[in-house]
Amino acid sequence: MSRVLVTGANGFVGEALCRKLLRSGHTVCGLVRQTGQVEQGVNEWVETQADFAGLDANWPAALQVDSVIHLAARVHVMRDTAADPDVAFHATNVEGALRVARAAWRHGARRLVFASSVKALAEGDAGRPLREDDPPAPQDAYGRSKLAAEQALTRYGEETGLEVVIVRFPLVYGPRVRANFLRLMDAIWKGVPLPLGVIDARRSLVYVENLADALMHCATDPRAAHRTFHVADSDPLTVAELARSLGRHLHKPARLVPVPTRWLHLAGRLTGHTAQIERLVGSLRLDTARVHSVLDWQAPHSTDEGLAATARWYRSTH
């Protein structure tokens, strides 16, 4: 069994990952910014300095780890209030990630798993699922920072021998999900008509428990060393299929209105919500063949199982 340090251990993905690691018999330390925020059984390390400054100097003397899974990041938001979003994202997602890697290597870790994003590669799939070696073309400050971090960490691994593993994934859902996915469930629950009836573009998703399982394998499987993997559920859905499935599990049939896609594009331009509309009507699929072939990894849960679990959680809160 391995000793694993998880940064961002109290986040949406971090909590699921820590539970998965513990159930699988691994020793887990969770790096968080406030005390009392890790799963029972996880050793807590509280570090409050911004962008992981001082992490090396403050490394607990007794802490020995085999691998680090770096989840903590400045996350993507639709309306960023930073004066210069590129600078803000770079400080946390690139320089901060490098500080984590340097501290981990200096204190004996052999592997770092970096939680990246499909946004480091593209916002759409241009007609076929995106592969790991496709030319990257990030479209916003968050995506650019994730790509820069991938490149900087890969160089650091080549220079030192640290086994850097890059994991890219799409929208994550599951119990306690927030942002757009939660808003979609809110709308279905309230019976709000949704203009999604004729959208046929497919988008990859990943259930949080599937992602946690893949991250654990990437941290512990020798075959993952120095590789980049795409991780997603096996079945990309259209937005309409997603809404219908959620409605079925919420016991609140989704009210889908067949609004032509061109009208949605026009509405996006007129209201200044072009990016949000593109995320609804554009195709974004990930090719996950590499993680299947290299690690023999298969998602332990189907998309329908993940959506059912998410809906059960939602119903329990309403």
Side-chain angles (χ1 to χ4, degrees):
M1 294 295 102
S2 294
R3 300 162 296 180
V4 184
L5 172 65
V6 177
T7 73
N10 60 328
F12 176 46
V13 176
E15 288 187 349
L17 174 59
C18 288
R19 289 194 299 268
K20 180 67 177 179
L21 289 165
L22 290 171
R23 288 196 301 265
S24 299
H26 302 288
T27 300
V28 185
C29 178
L31 181 63
V32 293
R33 294 181 64 85
Q34 294 181 334
T35 190
Q37 294 189 340
V38 298
E39 291 286 309
Q40 184 175 2
V42 173
N43 300 312
E44 184 180 74
W45 175 9
V46 177
E47 187 61 47
T48 60
Q49 293 191 59
D51 303 330
F52 305 99
L55 194 69
D56 187 8
N58 296 336
W59 192 282
L63 179 61
Q64 295 182 320
V65 298
D66 302 302
S67 59
V68 176
I69 303 177
H70 183 45
L71 301 177
R74 188 174 194 267
V75 299
H76 172 259
V77 293
M78 292 304 299
R79 292 183 177 84
D80 202 317
T81 59
D84 189 332
D86 279 284
V87 171
F89 277 113
H90 191 276
T92 300
N93 295 351
V94 183
E95 295 302 327
L98 278 171
R99 291 188 185 106
V100 172
R102 293 181 186 123
W105 178 248
R106 278 178 43 80
H107 292 276
R110 59 178 175 77
R111 178 171 296 184
L112 181 134
V113 179
F114 178 63
S116 187
S117 167
V118 65
K119 291 175 71 67
L121 193 59
E123 295 286 355
D125 63 27
R128 65 160 176 79
L130 295 167
R131 295 191 290 260
E132 288 87 349
D133 55 358
D134 282 334
Q139 299 297 305
D140 61 15
Y142 173 75
R144 289 189 290 271
S145 73
K146 284 296 190 178
L147 177 61
E150 290 182 11
Q151 295 168 337
L153 290 170
T154 297
R155 287 193 298 271
Y156 184 76
E158 291 169 349
E159 293 166 0
T160 62
L162 178 68
E163 296 175 356
V164 174
V165 184
I166 308 296
V167 180
R168 297 190 192 123
F169 47 89
L171 175 68
V172 186
Y173 69 95
R176 295 181 60 245
V177 69
R178 294 291 182 262
N180 288 338
F181 203 98
L182 179 59
R183 284 192 281 273
L184 176 61
M185 288 196 291
D186 285 338
I188 295 170
W189 184 262
K190 295 172 183 176
V192 175
L194 300 169
L196 311 174
V198 296
I199 298 175
D200 58 3
R202 296 187 175 275
R203 298 182 71 88
S204 290
L205 305 169
V206 63
Y207 178 39
V208 67
E209 296 292 340
N210 289 339
L211 178 57
D213 189 78
L215 289 167
M216 181 183 70
H217 278 77
C218 286
T220 58
D221 191 323
R223 297 171 293 181
H226 307 294
R227 303 298 297 265
T228 297
F229 298 107
H230 286 175
V231 172
D233 290 354
S234 56
D235 301 314
L237 301 177
T238 69
V239 178
E241 289 171 342
L242 173 61
R244 291 190 187 99
S245 294
L246 283 171
R248 176 164 49 86
H249 291 301
L250 288 170
H251 308 153
K252 301 272 189 176
R255 298 179 61 191
L256 301 181
V257 179
V259 176
T261 301
R262 65 181 181 277
W263 291 9
L264 294 174
H265 283 296
L266 177 61
R269 290 194 296 271
L270 292 175
T271 61
H273 292 92
T274 298
Q276 292 93 319
I277 296 300
E278 288 300 326
R279 286 173 175 81
L280 281 177
V281 304
S283 176
L284 181 58
R285 297 161 296 162
L286 274 66
D287 185 327
T288 57
R290 179 182 290 178
V291 72
H292 300 321
S293 62
V294 174
L295 302 186
D296 300 317
W297 182 81
Q298 298 292 331
H301 303 278
S302 69
T303 302
D304 193 63
E305 289 171 340
L307 294 176
T310 308
R312 283 195 300 272
W313 161 77
Y314 186 92
R315 295 200 313 271
S316 73
T317 65
H318 288 73

